[in-house]
Amino acid sequence: MTLSEFDSFRPAERARRRRQDGKPGLRRRDNGDGSREVPMVPEPEFTSYYGRPVVKPAPWGDDVALYLFLGGVAAGSALLGLGGQLTGRPILRRNARLGALAAVSAGAVALVKDLGRPERFLHMLRTFKVTSPMSVGSWILSAFSAGAGVAAVAEIDRMSGNRLPLGPLRRVLQAVEGPAGVEAAVFAGPLAAYTAVLLGDTATPTWNAAHEELPFVFVSSACLASAGLAMVTTPARETGPARKLAVLGVVGDVLAMKIMERRMDPVAAEPLHQGKAGTMLKWSERLAVAGGLGTVLGGRNRVAAAASGVALLAASALTRFGIFEAGLASAKDPRYTIEPQKARLAARRAAGVTGDAITTAS
C-alpha cells in the first residue's frame, strides 16, 4: 500500500473487540428491550486534522510588532505636545511634536516594509469601510500623520531660525500650527487603540479572547511610552504633564492586564504566561512598576527622570511585543482554539441554549 506523507501524523488506532464470528464493530449487550447489539462508536471529540493548527497564524513579522509600539509612542507624544502647547512649556511641546513625527514615520516605514510595496497602503485609502479595523486604521493613521507633520515642521522651522525654504507658506504654517497640534491629539486616542481592535478582530485565539480589554492595555501602554520618551528628552522642570501621564499609564497598564487575563478563557490566556511572550510580559510589569516608582519618588531629578523614562519605554515595548508573540503562539497549537470552543459550547448547553447554529440538544 502506498502511504501519504501525512500518514506519519495519524494517531495509533485503538484495538477493536471482535465478535465470535470475527467481525469487528459490534458488541453484544442486553438492553432489556430485546435488542442485544449496539454499534461500538466512540464518543465524538473535538480535535484537529492530524493535530495540525486549526487557524492560520497571522502572516505578520516583527515589523508589525514594531509598528504597534511606535504607533503608541506617536499617539501619546501628540497628547503631550498639546499639553505643552496649552500650558506654556515650549521645550516639552517641541520634543513631543518631534517625537510624534519621528515615531509615526518610523512606524509607517515598518508597516510598508511588512506590506511589501508602498502602493498597498495607498490602495487601502481607496475606500472607507467602517466594519474593517484595517480600513479605519489606515485613515486614522493618515489623519494623525497630517496634523503631527504640520506641527513638527513648524517646530523644525522655528529651531532653524525660520530658514526653511517656505517663502509665503511660512505665514500659513504659523497660522495652522496650533490647530494641527489639536488635530493630531484628537486622533491620538484612536491611533493608540485601533491596533488592539485589529488584533482582536482576527481568529487568533489569544488576541480574540482579549478583544474587549486589549484596547485599554494598548492605550495605557502608549501613555507609558510617550511619557518615558518625554522624560528622557526634556528637562525635569517641564515634564510635569509627562510625569502625570506616566503614573496614569502605569496604573492603567497593570490593572488592564490583570483584568484582561482574569476575563479571558483560562486556556486562551496561557500563552501570555509561557515561553518568550511570558518572559516579555513579566518583565514589562516589573519595569512599569519600577518606572512608576522612579517617576513619583525622583521624577524631578534629571538623572532619575531619564532612568525612569527608559524603564517606561522598555515596559511599553515589551507589552506590545509580548502580546504579539502570545497571539502567534496560540495560533500554532490547536488546543487554544478547540478547548475554549468546547467550554463555550458546554456553557451554552448548561444555560439551556439549544437548537441553534452552534448548539444542539444532547
Side-chain angles (χ1 to χ4, degrees), residues 18 84 122-123 133 161 274 303 350:
R18 294 180 175 270
L122 297 178
H123 290 332
Q274 298 175 350
V303 176

Side-chain angles (χ1 to χ4, degrees), residues 206-207 210 214 217-218 221 224 253-254 257-258 260-261 264 268-289 314-327:
T206 297
W207 294 342
L214 195 57
V217 174
F218 273 32
S221 175
L224 291 183
D253 185 73
V254 174
M257 281 293 297
K258 297 297 183 184
M260 182 184 75
E261 294 172 9
M264 290 174 63
E270 285 182 6
L272 297 173
H273 306 280
Q274 298 175 350
K276 184 178 178 181
T279 301
M280 287 182 178
L281 293 174
K282 185 181 297 183
W283 276 104
S284 171
E285 182 177 353
R286 293 172 180 173
L287 289 172
V289 172
S316 177
L318 289 174
T319 296
R320 305 292 180 115
F321 276 83
I323 291 175
F324 184 79
E325 289 291 337

Side-chain angles (χ1 to χ4, degrees), residues 85-142:
Q85 175 182 331
L86 298 178
T87 60
R89 291 178 167 87
I91 300 179
L92 175 63
R93 181 199 66 210
R94 180 197 66 197
N95 292 348
R97 286 178 172 178
L98 296 178
L101 178 61
V104 77
S105 300
V109 171
L111 179 61
V112 170
K113 183 180 178 182
D114 182 78
L115 292 174
R117 297 197 301 269
E119 61 267 22
R120 289 180 177 175
F121 178 80
L122 297 178
H123 290 332
M124 290 189 290
L125 299 177
R126 296 171 61 184
T127 60
F128 181 79
K129 190 176 181 180
V130 179
T131 57
S132 170
M134 184 171 291
S135 175
V136 175
S138 300
W139 283 96
I140 290 174
L141 177 62
S142 300

Side-chain angles (χ1 to χ4, degrees), residues 26 40 43 65 68 75 175 177 189 192 200 269 272 274 287 324 347:
L26 296 176
M40 293 181 61
E43 290 295 326
L68 299 180
E177 172 188 356
L272 297 173
Q274 298 175 350
L287 289 172
F324 184 79

Side-chain angles (χ1 to χ4, degrees), residues 33 80 100 122 125 130 140 148-149 174-176 202 243 250 270 282 293 318 320 327 333 352 359:
D33 57 0
L80 285 176
L122 297 178
L125 299 177
V130 179
I140 290 174
Q174 293 172 350
V176 301
T202 67
R243 294 197 299 271
V250 171
E270 285 182 6
K282 185 181 297 183
L293 290 175
L318 289 174
R320 305 292 180 115
D333 190 336
T359 60

